Amino acid sequence: MTVSKEHVHPVDRFSGITVLVIGDLILDRFVEGRVRRISPEAPVPVVEVDRERLALGGAANVAHNLAALGGSPLLVGILGDDREGEDFAALVRDSGLDTTGLLRMKGRRTTVKTRIVAHRQQVVRVDREVRSSLDPALEEALRKTVEKMMDGVRAVVASDYAKGLFSPGFLAWLGNTCRNRNLPYIVDPKPLNFPYPGATAATPNRAESSAMYGGPFEPEEAGKAGRAILEKTDWDAVLLTLGDDGMALVRRSGPALAIPADVREVFDVTGAGDTVAAVFSLGLAAGISMEESARLANKAAGNMVGKVGTAVCTPLELKAAMGDPSG
């Protein structure tokens, strides 16, 4: 017996959907421990280290979230020709993700974010990165890689952390390619590369939204800010993520949709934006309405901030967050 889509749980519709994720690759390193005293050298806490671990960050965390939710992600990005790049590629393999789209660049260092965590709270973050643009030959290799991996894809995500992967020319080409293939194209943006031509929708956080809008705005002004952003772009919609104030989905027609935050204790917001991009893109790729996809993304983000460090949201957790007893 065939079961109609209306009788299938939205989260179950994510299964097997292929989403192409293109973006900046970041190796997240977590140094975790406890604080029992203040340093005699400076008024800073002394963290006694219990363990260290590595995790996939940036665009790779979007792909990891897609896989955890039942999707079939394809990941494309640039790694440095260094030990950290090798560690990153090994993590991708260990996570069950395909490494075909990982390109290595000689002379470029892999971006690493080291977070010192004590008692489930970040103490400090140390970044090691290069933000220089790709040379023309490597950008051409990037385009060819994306072209080869497009067949069978149901949606595309551009995960921009402003580490040099995206250029105006590449973004114009990517937007045009997605439009020609009629693919949902979701951008997790940075103001540096605004306006991402050809995108279906973008998922900026409060700071990014303010920069693209032209100034700060109150939560009740999210509709106004979103419409002003849309006037500067050719997007269909913008999903403003506003932290404790929830989200606002603003489309070209109709009123803005305010989505209250899924209130819970916040331990760490690391990677929450990646989760939003993953869930929102999966929803659109599965044929779920933009409104329902935004609500699903909000529930998943609420689940994420209750965890420490870069992590993923599972189908059972998302169903539970939606009030499904089977979750």
Side-chain angles (χ1 to χ4, degrees):
M1 181 178 67
T2 301
V3 179
S4 68
K5 287 184 178 181
E6 289 74 15
H7 294 91
V8 175
H9 195 287
V11 177
D12 292 331
R13 292 169 62 179
F14 294 167
S15 180
I17 289 179
T18 303
V19 176
L20 178 63
V21 182
I22 308 158
D24 297 298
L25 305 178
I26 299 171
L27 180 65
D28 283 338
R29 174 178 285 118
F30 294 90
V31 180
E32 300 171 346
R34 293 166 289 176
V35 173
R36 292 194 176 98
R37 58 194 175 98
I38 301 299
S39 171
E41 304 165 350
V44 296
V46 175
V47 178
E48 299 175 9
V49 177
D50 292 327
R51 68 165 184 158
E52 297 185 32
R53 63 185 177 90
L54 300 176
L56 296 173
N61 191 39
V62 178
H64 198 194
N65 270 272
L66 287 163
L69 287 162
S72 298
L74 298 174
L75 178 63
V76 178
I78 306 295
L79 291 173
D81 188 26
D82 52 14
R83 173 60 185 273
E84 288 76 14
E86 294 174 4
D87 290 341
F88 188 97
L91 271 180
V92 171
R93 286 191 294 270
D94 292 344
S95 298
L97 303 176
D98 190 280
T99 61
T100 303
L102 302 184
L103 306 180
R104 304 292 287 270
M105 179 179 176
K106 286 188 176 181
R108 190 181 186 91
R109 66 172 35 173
T110 300
T111 297
V112 181
K113 293 183 179 181
T114 301
R115 296 174 175 88
I116 313 298
V117 180
H119 307 286
R120 303 193 73 187
Q121 297 290 340
Q122 277 194 44
V123 176
V124 70
R125 193 180 89 185
V126 180
D127 291 1
R128 196 193 76 168
E129 62 188 18
V130 174
R131 299 188 179 192
S132 57
S133 301
L134 304 183
D135 63 60
L138 189 57
E139 184 170 305
E140 181 59 25
L142 185 68
R143 290 194 192 197
K144 290 180 178 178
T145 300
V146 171
E147 284 180 331
K148 289 178 182 177
M149 301 177 76
M150 276 282 194
D151 290 341
V153 165
R154 300 266 295 276
V156 174
V157 176
S159 178
D160 191 358
Y161 275 77
K163 307 303 180 193
L165 182 80
F166 293 115
S167 69
F170 179 83
L171 286 170
W173 170 83
L174 180 60
N176 188 57
T177 300
C178 291
R179 285 278 172 96
N180 288 339
R181 290 175 174 261
N182 199 30
L183 290 172
Y185 167 33
I186 308 306
V187 177
D188 189 358
K190 283 288 183 286
L192 175 68
N193 290 317
F194 184 71
Y196 301 93
T200 304
T203 60
N205 62 26
R206 189 189 292 270
E208 293 157 354
S209 300
S210 296
M212 291 185 286
Y213 171 56
F217 58 90
E218 296 299 320
E220 57 270 20
E221 299 174 307
K224 175 184 176 182
R227 280 186 284 274
I229 291 170
L230 290 178
E231 288 177 359
K232 302 175 184 179
T233 73
D234 59 357
W235 307 342
D236 296 336
V238 58
L239 179 61
L240 310 177
T241 62
L242 306 173
D244 292 345
D245 294 307
M247 298 182 180
L249 176 65
V250 186
R251 290 160 287 194
R252 289 202 172 271
S253 59
L257 172 67
I259 307 172
D262 190 31
V263 180
R264 61 184 62 216
E265 187 171 6
V266 176
F267 282 108
D268 195 345
V269 298
T270 303
D274 300 331
T275 301
V276 170
V279 176
F280 193 55
S281 62
L282 270 176
L284 297 185
I288 299 171
S289 71
M290 194 170 282
E291 177 180 327
E292 182 63 19
S293 296
R295 293 187 187 279
L296 287 167
N298 183 59
K299 290 292 186 182
N303 172 267
M304 288 302 302
V305 297
K307 300 180 180 181
V308 176
T310 312
V312 295
C313 179
T314 68
L316 286 178
E317 288 173 336
L318 184 49
K319 287 181 179 180
M322 295 170 66
D324 187 333
S326 67

